[in-house]
C-alpha cells in the first residue's frame, strides 16, 4: 500500500526539514503560506516569473530553465536540492506534468527528497483520461459519453449530434499548444475540422470526443482529500460555481464548500481502487438531464482553490507534510458554507457573463460581499497580490492566464 514515508534522506545536521514547491503560481503560493505560517522553511522552484517567490513565507526561490521536460526537470530539481542542502525536504508539484515526472522518477528523486507523489501504478489512472474513464466504468462511477477516434473515419461511429467537445486524453500535450482545455464543435463539419486540428497537435489516439453536459459552472463539483490507507484523513466537497473560461474552465474562480456524501462515496471508491496516497481532487459535473454526477477529471496534486480548505478547517498541504514527517495527522472534514474567490480572473469572467445576460448582476455582487478567502490577497502577505496584477500581461502571453 502506498505511503512513501519511509527510507527517505535525513536533513543535514542542524537543519530543519522543509518543503520544495514546484511551480509558484497562486496554487504554489497557497502551499507556501500553509507551511510558512507554521515556521516550515519553503523553497520555490519555477520556470516562470511567478508570485510565490515574493511571499514573506518563501525562504528561498530558484528559477530554472524548464519544468516541462521530464529529464531536465529531474536534473534541475536534484541539482537545487544538493546545492542548497534540501535533503529530506518534501516535494509538492503544482502541475500535471510535474506529477508525471515525480511519479516516473520517484526512486531517483527519493535519494534526496521525500516524494509523496504516488508511483506510476497509481498516477497512470489520473494522468490519462482513457484510463480514468475505463476504470470509472468498471467501478460504476458515471462519466460523460466519450469516443476515442484515431482517424477521421472514426468520427462516423459517433452516434450523437453536436454540440460536442473535443478534448485531450492527456492535458499536457494539448493545453500548452492551444491555451485551452477543450474545444466546442457545434456542427459535424466543425467536428471534422477541430478533430484534424487537435490530431495535428497530440500523439495518435489522444483526441477524445465527448458529450457536452448541459449547464454552466454552477453544475461543477469536486471532491478533495488527503487520502491514505484507503480512507480520507482530510476531505472537502466543493461546488465550483464559476470558472475561467466559463465553458471549458482551466481554473475555478469562485467555489463554496458543501455537504454531498454521494461524491465522497464515489470518489473514495475510485481512490481505493488505485491504492492512492496523497492530495487529490476529483472533478464532476452534475447532468441536469438525469441528476447524475459524472466524473470528468482526477488531479493527483493540489488544485487551484485548495486554500479554501484552510479556511474551512482542512489545511491540505500541512496534513501531507505532517504525514511525511511521521507526525500524527488529525482527521478532519471541511465546514460547509465557506466561500473562496480569485478576483483577478473572476471579475473579468463575470463582466462578460453579465454582458451576455448569463449571470445576474445581483448574484455577482452578493458573491463579492460573502466570500471569506481570496486566492492571493492577504493582509499579512501583501506583495504577491501586487505582483500578480503586474504579471497579468506576462501570464496571459505565457499560458492564456
Amino acid at each position: 500500500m502506498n505511503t512513501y514515508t519511509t527510507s527517505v534522506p535525513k536533513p543535514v545536521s542542524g537543519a530543519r526539514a522543509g518543503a520544495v514547491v514546484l511551480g509558484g503560481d497562486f496554487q504554489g503560493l497557497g502551499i507556501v503560506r500553509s507551511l510558512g505560517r507554521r515556521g516550515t522553511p519553503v523553497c520555490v522552484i519555477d520556470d516562470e516569473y511567478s508570485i510565490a517567490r515574493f511571499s514573506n513565507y518563501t525562504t528561498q526561490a530558484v528559477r530554472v530553465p524548464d519544468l516541462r521536460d521530464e529529464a531536465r526537470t529531474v536534473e534541475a530539481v536534484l541539482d537545487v536540492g544538493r546545492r542548497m542542502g534540501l535533503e529530506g525536504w518534501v516535494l509538492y508539484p503544482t502541475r500535471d506534468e510535474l506529477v508525471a515526472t515525480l511519479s516516473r522518477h520517484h526512486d531517483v528523486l527519493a535519494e534526496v527528497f521525500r516524494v509523496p507523489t504516488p508511483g506510476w501504478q497509481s498516477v497512470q489512472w489520473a494522468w490519462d483520461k482513457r484510463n480514468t474513464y475505463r476504470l470509472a466504468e468498471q467501478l460504476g462511477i458515471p462519466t460523460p459519453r466519450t469516443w476515442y477516434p484515431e482517424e477521421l473515419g472514426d468520427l462516423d461511429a459517433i452516434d450523437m449530434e453536436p454540440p460536442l467537445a473535443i478534448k485531450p486524453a492527456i492535458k499536457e500535450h494539448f493545453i500548452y499548444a492551444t491555451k485551452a482545455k477543450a474545444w466546442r464543435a457545434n456542427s459535424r463539419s466543425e467536428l471534422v475540422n477541430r478533430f484534424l486540428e487537435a490530431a495535428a497537435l497530440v500523439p495518435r489516439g489522444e483526441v477524445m470526443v465527448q458529450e457536452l453536459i448541459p449547464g454552466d459552472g454552477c453544475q461543477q463539483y469536486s471532491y478533495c482529500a488527503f487520502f491514505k490507507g484507503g480512507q480520507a484523513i482530510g476531505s472537502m466537497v466543493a461546488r465550483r460555481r464559476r470558472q475561467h473560461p466559463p465553458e471549458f474552465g482551466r481554473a475555478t474562480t469562485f467555489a463554496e464548500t458543501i455537504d454531498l456524501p454521494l461524491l465522497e462515496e464515489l470518489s473514495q471508491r475510485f481512490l481505493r481502487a488505485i491504492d492512492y496516497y496523497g492530495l487529490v481532487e476529483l472533478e464532476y459535473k452534475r447532468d441536469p438531464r438525469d441528476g447524475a454526477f459524472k466524473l470528468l477529471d482526477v488531479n493527483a496534486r493540489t488544485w487551484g482553490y485548495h486554500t479554501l480548505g484552510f479556511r474551512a478547517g482542512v489545511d491540505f498541504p500541512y496534513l501531507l507534510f505532517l504525514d511525511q514527517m511521521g507526525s500524527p495527522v488529525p482527521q478532519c472534514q471541511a465546514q460547509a458554507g465557506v466561500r473562496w474567490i480569485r478576483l483577478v480572473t473572476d471579475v473579468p469572467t463575470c463582466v462578460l457573463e453579465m454582458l451576455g445576460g448569463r449571470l445576474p448582476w445581483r448574484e455577482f455582487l452578493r458573491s463579492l460581499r460573502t466570500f471569506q478567502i481570496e486566492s492571493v490577497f492577504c493582509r499579512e502577505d501583501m506583495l504577491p497580490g501586487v505582483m500578480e496584477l503586474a504579471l497579468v500581461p506576462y501570464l496571459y502571453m505565457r499560458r492564456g492566464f
Side-chain angles (χ1 to χ4, degrees):
M1 184 168 289
N2 292 330
T3 56
Y4 301 109
T5 56
T6 60
S7 301
V8 296
K10 302 299 182 185
V12 295
S13 178
R16 180 177 181 180
V20 178
V21 178
L22 303 178
D25 197 11
F26 71 100
Q27 182 190 150
L29 175 66
I31 303 171
V32 169
R33 287 173 172 169
S34 163
L35 302 176
R37 287 181 177 123
R38 294 176 167 86
T40 301
V42 184
C43 175
V44 175
I45 301 177
D46 205 351
D47 59 350
E48 297 180 335
Y49 294 106
S50 54
I51 59 176
R53 67 181 298 122
F54 299 104
S55 173
N56 295 334
Y57 300 109
T58 296
T59 311
Q60 303 162 90
V62 181
R63 189 159 184 259
V64 297
D66 186 11
L67 287 179
R68 294 184 184 178
D69 178 80
E70 284 195 15
R72 296 182 70 186
T73 297
V74 172
E75 181 182 359
V77 172
L78 287 174
D79 175 65
V80 171
R82 288 171 174 144
R83 227 173 358 97
M84 303 181 72
L86 308 182
E87 287 85 358
W89 286 36
V90 183
L91 291 180
Y92 286 82
T94 61
R95 307 175 199 157
D96 290 325
E97 66 270 23
L98 291 169
V99 170
T101 295
L102 268 58
S103 180
R104 290 173 175 148
H105 301 273
H106 185 280
D107 292 346
V108 173
L109 290 164
E111 293 175 6
V112 176
F113 302 99
R114 288 178 166 89
V115 188
T117 300
W120 192 245
Q121 71 275 10
S122 291
V123 168
Q124 63 178 322
W125 301 103
W127 172 250
D128 189 329
K129 288 190 183 69
R130 292 167 294 189
N131 292 337
T132 304
Y133 296 149
R134 185 171 72 250
L135 179 59
E137 182 179 5
Q138 294 172 7
L139 297 172
I141 300 172
T143 60
R145 290 192 67 192
T146 307
W147 296 265
Y148 308 96
E150 295 192 4
E151 54 189 38
L152 193 59
D154 295 337
L155 298 179
D156 296 335
I158 298 175
D159 59 348
M160 177 176 282
E161 289 304 307
L164 295 163
I166 293 89
K167 303 172 70 172
I170 298 172
K171 285 186 286 189
E172 176 199 24
H173 297 153
F174 183 87
I175 197 166
Y176 286 123
T178 67
K179 297 182 174 64
K181 194 172 183 178
W183 287 334
R184 181 186 179 105
N186 291 312
S187 66
R188 282 281 171 174
S189 61
E190 192 172 4
L191 176 63
V192 169
N193 292 334
R194 284 301 203 179
F195 170 78
L196 291 173
E197 288 181 67
L201 296 172
V202 302
R204 180 182 176 89
E206 286 190 13
V207 179
M208 306 189 310
V209 177
Q210 193 170 81
E211 69 169 324
L212 273 176
I213 300 174
D216 55 16
C218 287
Q219 303 296 335
Q220 304 277 354
Y221 295 80
S222 286
Y223 173 80
C224 314
F226 168 50
F227 205 78
K228 178 184 179 181
Q231 64 176 331
I233 308 300
S235 64
M236 174 177 77
V237 179
R239 187 173 186 181
R240 299 178 290 114
R241 289 183 174 272
R242 296 197 290 267
Q243 58 184 357
H244 168 76
E247 184 168 49
F248 301 121
R250 292 193 307 275
T252 299
T253 66
F254 186 84
E256 177 182 8
T257 54
I258 61 171
D259 287 322
L260 192 55
L262 175 60
L263 287 197
E264 297 178 20
E265 193 278 324
L266 293 175
S267 301
Q268 292 182 28
R269 189 188 308 171
F270 187 95
L271 296 172
R272 290 190 187 104
I274 65 174
D275 189 23
Y276 192 80
Y277 169 83
L279 304 180
V280 65
E281 180 209 26
L282 291 87
E283 299 180 5
Y284 297 83
K285 188 168 186 179
R286 181 184 177 275
D287 192 332
R289 297 168 299 185
D290 57 13
F293 291 88
K294 296 183 177 179
L295 179 64
L296 298 179
D297 209 353
V298 180
N299 295 310
R301 51 169 171 77
T302 52
W303 47 99
Y305 60 95
H306 71 85
T307 50
L308 172 61
F310 173 77
R311 188 59 183 264
V314 187
D315 192 351
F316 289 102
Y318 184 58
L319 296 181
L320 179 64
F321 188 81
L322 284 176
D323 193 62
Q324 287 293 298
M325 294 297 110
S327 301
V329 183
Q331 193 95 21
C332 47
Q333 188 168 17
Q335 170 192 351
V338 182
R339 300 175 185 89
W340 174 98
I341 197 169
R342 188 180 182 213
L343 288 168
V344 74
T345 49
D346 193 59
V347 171
T349 296
C350 289
V351 168
L352 292 176
E353 290 295 280
M354 287 187 289
L355 290 175
R358 295 178 294 273
L359 175 67
W361 64 269
R362 292 180 188 276
E363 180 181 328
F364 172 60
L365 293 179
R366 189 183 308 116
S367 66
L368 292 182
R369 293 194 304 267
T370 59
F371 74 85
Q372 287 99 332
I373 185 166
E374 209 281 330
S375 64
V376 171
F377 290 96
C378 175
R379 291 181 182 178
E380 73 196 50
D381 193 25
M382 293 287 290
L383 191 53
V386 176
M387 294 307 300
E388 181 173 59
L389 295 176
L391 287 170
V392 164
Y394 165 78
L395 294 172
Y396 180 81
M397 293 298 296
R398 173 80 177 180
R399 46 187 164 81
F401 202 54

